Amino acid sequence: MTTKQKGNGASRRQFLTGAAAAGAGAVAAAAAKASGPDPLITEMQDWASSTGAGVDATPYGMPIQFESDVVRRNVEWLTADTISSINFTPIHALDGTITPQGCAFERHHSGAIELRKEDYRLMINGLVDQELVFTYNDLERFPRENRVYFCECAANTGMEWAGAQLNGAQFTHGMIHNMEYSGVSLRTLLNEAGVKPEGKWVYVEGADASSNGRSIPLEKALDDCLVAFKANGEALRMEHGYPTRLVVPGWEGNMWVKWLRRIEVTEVAVESREETSKYTDTLANGISRKWTWEMDAKSVVTSPSPQAPIKHGPGPLVITGLAWSGRGAITGVDVTLDGGKNWQKARLAAPGQSKALTRFYLDIEWNGEEMFLQSRARDETGYVQPTKNQLREVRGLNSIYHNNGIQTWWVKANGEAENVEIS
Amino acid sequence: AAPMGKIGLGRPALPEEVAAWNHDILPDGTGLPDGEGDVWTGEEVFADNCAVCHGDFAEGVDNWPKLAGGMNTLNREDPLKTVGSYWPYLSTAFDYVRRSMPFGAAQTMSDDDVYAIVAYILFSNDLVDEDFVLSKDTFFDVEMPNADGFIIDDRAETELGLFSAEPCMENCKESVEITMRAAVLDVTPDHGGDD
């Protein structure tokens, strides 16, 4: 970025002076009077006089420099290396429901590969009338659909099974993104090959070294799965599967195979590494659940939260967060300020969409006292998001995956927030 | 699937193409290639290609996956899940090693080498003797200890009803005490990202 900013030093100094004055005022009262004229208003600012960047400065733009903390973060100790690893969406700083692709989380098992459209091939084989090979251009000629869905890693919040560990919504709940996908329904592609009656499953795998092969029951494959090539209006990012990925609405992110290269119709599940060794959930008695595909109803307050403390003092406060369910639409979110003694209904920014993120708000008058903030989602099946302890009573502590328990933020009198567990 | 009109895109896949990409091996052994490998060959191949991450005895180096050990730990506090203690099917081990290992140089091993590596992993888990030779013919002589350790997702029976009760809205509990704090554990990377 080489945008010129003339007189930057002077205006920056004025800005900081002004900000400090406003901050001091807010502590005194919600509607404080100005102690004097604000130089940001009374003094002419550079941007009101000189010119900004030209339209040729940025053919493809990045966020403004002041938003440099709104980025993906990784946690080094979680994995042995950064190639088969995870990073986290900065959900604490986002609003609405659409995740900007550039900061949407990544999970790779052999790194993000670079696969040109020209080199891309998609094969359908196995129990079909005609095994087929498609080029990328072929895929763009099929009738297309547009749908918004969340993709949540099965391990999202997994580090929190044994208790409060990571201090921030980005780290506890950020293995998720929500995009508008454009692509072809998997049903359309399978129809082109013609599924034989004995076909009961599809095995899907990627072009990368890990392959990430997973078995999906044919019923789901013919229901709402998409082979997507656009997300949020543009081509998929390399790290999200360019040029195509599978979209498996409501189901654990591992099944959203990236760089999708092959769809095999089979009679039985392959029981691949990613559905035996991994993505199986061990219960307290040592028996493990397999094929735990759906992501259950879940929510989190994104602000205030440990990375988004209250800086404005008492008075009007926007509490906001995200809710989602892999079993349908969110129908309501309750929020508590006192650790679950009393709950109130939050306002949904828009009616919940099936298997997509839903934004909620609760506008309160904060009295400056500590709070134990929690949110509790409900979906259209009637399922109510459980507490972590309710989940632990059923599953124990070793499930690793599918932790959709209620999150608590301890908001202190100084406005800072911390990830805690409470009785 | 209900019959729909076909659009007529794509072209027939050739047998060589399907053979090049279709490597999966099913739990019943479907897809297993010809070839064989014994434990001692496996030890050499493993030492050359695998031990730098997984250890000389498949016990794992640093944070890299342990492939052996952990028998009877699945119901304990920190279960050790390995090929021996956890994996239900041997087919998965062969499939995964052949398809995706070694990490960084996947699909470079011969089928005989893969058989030998898997034989060595089994030996490291005390599941076969040192003179064992793994092949199509001996594949099912191996008993995987946790073969019966899995159930199909039962949340519909065990959880969905339990968690679908009308929730409490007022005066739901007497007191709230902090039982655990992330800041005390202090394992979160520094905030920011602009420095």
Side-chain angles (χ1 to χ4, degrees):
Chain A
M1 302 288 283
T2 54
T3 315
K4 286 194 192 109
Q5 294 191 339
K6 291 170 206 158
N8 186 44
S11 69
R12 183 166 177 80
R13 192 158 56 243
Q14 288 159 5
F15 175 80
L16 290 171
T17 312
V27 173
K33 284 180 184 162
S35 56
D38 184 349
L40 279 166
I41 298 170
T42 57
E43 293 178 15
M44 200 264 298
Q45 303 298 310
D46 288 342
W47 56 78
S49 175
S50 61
T51 58
V55 295
D56 58 345
T58 315
Y60 196 104
M62 290 286 285
I64 195 166
Q65 57 180 314
F66 313 120
E67 296 295 313
S68 62
D69 60 326
V70 187
V71 291
R72 295 187 278 235
R73 303 288 306 277
N74 68 313
V75 176
E76 217 170 281
W77 56 263
L78 278 178
T79 50
D81 70 306
T82 58
I83 304 298
S84 179
S85 193
I86 187 83
N87 63 26
F88 299 87
T89 303
I91 56 169
H92 64 289
L94 303 176
D95 211 322
T97 58
I98 295 296
T99 313
Q101 289 198 84
C103 65
F105 88 102
E106 304 167 69
R107 203 299 186 227
H108 317 303
H109 292 78
S110 298
I113 61 167
E114 199 172 84
L115 177 53
R116 300 192 314 161
K117 286 177 180 171
E118 292 82 352
D119 298 336
Y120 178 81
R121 298 290 184 272
L122 175 63
M123 180 183 291
I124 298 182
N125 71 299
L127 298 172
V128 292
D129 299 329
Q130 176 64 63
E131 297 183 320
L132 290 172
V133 171
F134 300 107
T135 63
Y136 178 82
N137 287 337
D138 292 334
L139 294 183
E140 282 202 336
R141 296 169 68 189
F142 282 99
R144 221 170 288 170
E145 295 184 9
N146 281 262
R147 301 269 188 260
V148 177
Y149 295 117
F150 73 82
C151 172
E152 182 185 16
C153 180
N156 199 22
T157 323
M159 299 83 72
E160 305 290 311
W161 267 114
Q165 277 220 56
L166 287 162
N167 208 22
Q170 178 170 22
F171 300 108
T172 57
H173 290 75
M175 296 182 191
I176 193 166
H177 56 58
N178 191 67
M179 301 188 189
E180 183 196 48
Y181 293 98
S182 309
V184 181
S185 82
L186 183 52
R187 182 188 334 109
T188 300
L189 295 180
L190 287 170
N191 182 67
E192 207 65 8
V195 175
K196 290 183 171 170
E198 57 270 37
K200 296 286 185 286
W201 294 79
V202 295
Y203 182 69
V204 287
E205 69 176 13
D208 63 316
S210 83
S211 100
N212 198 57
R214 287 291 309 249
S215 305
I216 299 175
L218 189 65
E219 189 180 25
K220 177 70 173 177
L222 295 176
D223 180 16
D224 54 5
C225 294
L226 298 174
V227 176
F229 36 80
K230 297 280 170 77
N232 296 347
E234 62 181 352
L236 295 173
R237 294 293 170 94
M238 171 180 78
E239 61 270 30
H240 297 139
Y242 181 94
T244 79
R245 82 173 309 163
L246 197 65
V247 169
V248 189
W251 288 22
E252 58 187 14
N254 177 256
M255 307 176 83
W256 294 48
V257 172
K258 298 186 286 190
W259 314 290
L260 179 69
R261 83 167 189 184
R262 193 168 69 91
I263 301 159
E264 179 182 2
V265 179
T266 58
E267 194 172 349
V268 297
V270 169
E271 305 269 10
S272 69
R273 187 249 195 185
E274 307 294 331
E275 55 203 11
T276 54
S277 170
K278 307 297 177 187
Y279 307 99
T280 48
D281 316 351
T282 302
L283 303 170
N285 62 3
I287 298 290
S288 303
R289 289 171 174 164
K290 66 176 182 180
W291 304 345
T292 47
W293 299 312
E294 291 93 348
M295 301 303 291
D296 281 316
K298 187 169 176 178
S299 68
V300 63
V301 171
T302 53
S303 179
S305 65
Q307 297 157 287
I310 305 170
K311 291 178 172 168
H312 54 58
L317 170 68
V318 174
I319 296 171
T320 187
L322 293 165
W324 62 94
S325 170
R327 299 188 195 266
I330 291 294
T331 53
V333 178
D334 304 323
V335 170
T336 176
L337 312 181
D338 56 15
K341 291 180 191 168
N342 297 286
W343 297 82
Q344 42 194 318
K345 290 193 182 307
R347 171 169 59 89
L348 303 187
Q353 282 180 274
S354 187
K355 305 168 188 177
L357 291 191
T358 298
R359 171 65 56 179
F360 67 84
Y361 296 104
L362 184 69
D363 306 295
I364 69 161
E365 193 75 15
W366 184 45
N367 60 11
E369 291 175 5
E370 72 172 15
M371 297 185 284
F372 291 100
L373 277 183
Q374 298 179 330
S375 60
R376 182 173 68 190
R378 181 201 308 246
D379 72 21
E380 63 181 310
T381 71
Y383 178 98
V384 179
Q385 183 184 1
T387 64
K388 289 178 183 172
N389 283 334
Q390 282 179 299
L391 285 176
R392 288 171 184 142
E393 279 170 27
V394 178
R395 306 183 194 171
L397 295 176
N398 292 328
S399 280
I400 301 175
Y401 307 107
H402 291 279
N403 185 349
N404 65 318
I406 289 173
Q407 174 67 46
T408 308
W409 305 129
W410 174 29
V411 180
K412 301 163 199 178
N414 66 4
E416 287 175 3
E418 183 179 332
N419 175 13
V420 296
E421 296 227 359
I422 56 174
S423 56
Chain B
M4 306 192 294
K6 292 189 197 299
I7 291 163
L9 289 166
R11 60 152 176 91
L14 301 178
E16 302 91 319
E17 294 171 330
V18 174
W21 276 8
N22 181 14
H23 284 172
D24 35 276
I25 298 159
L26 302 181
D28 69 359
T30 303
L32 278 173
D34 294 331
E36 62 174 39
D38 61 81
V39 169
W40 295 116
T41 307
E43 186 193 35
E44 286 172 32
V45 181
F46 196 89
D48 291 345
N49 296 281
C50 318
V52 62
C53 296
H54 296 296
D56 288 336
F57 307 100
E59 78 282 14
V61 174
D62 298 334
N63 221 358
W64 295 99
K66 298 166 173 56
L67 307 181
M71 297 297 176
N72 305 311
T73 64
L74 297 179
N75 59 357
R76 299 195 193 155
E77 193 172 333
D78 271 313
L80 174 54
K81 300 179 178 181
T82 70
V83 175
S85 70
Y86 193 62
W87 293 34
Y89 305 110
L90 190 57
S91 56
T92 312
F94 191 97
D95 176 295
Y96 184 69
V97 171
R98 181 168 69 159
R99 189 195 305 265
S100 298
M101 287 287 135
F103 189 63
Q107 303 190 53
T108 58
M109 315 286 286
S110 71
D111 290 340
D112 284 345
D113 282 348
V114 175
Y115 273 118
I117 288 170
V118 174
Y120 182 68
I121 293 171
L122 291 171
F123 175 73
S124 300
N125 278 287
D126 298 322
L127 296 176
V128 298
D129 295 328
E130 59 186 313
D131 58 356
F132 182 72
V133 181
L134 185 64
S135 71
K136 263 186 201 178
D137 298 329
T138 61
F139 211 77
F140 292 96
D141 295 349
V142 184
E143 212 169 302
M144 298 296 276
N146 198 41
D148 296 326
F150 294 81
I151 55 170
I152 294 173
D153 183 3
D154 65 348
R155 283 176 292 174
E157 296 80 44
T158 56
E159 295 184 10
L160 298 190
L162 187 64
F163 299 150
S164 295
E166 197 57 38
C168 176
M169 292 298 286
E170 285 183 344
N171 302 315
C172 302
K173 50 178 157 178
E174 289 281 316
S175 67
V176 169
E177 308 293 337
I178 294 172
T179 56
M180 195 163 182
R181 297 180 52 185
V184 172
L185 203 59
D186 194 24
V187 291
T188 311
D190 290 339
H191 293 172
D194 50 349
D195 46 10

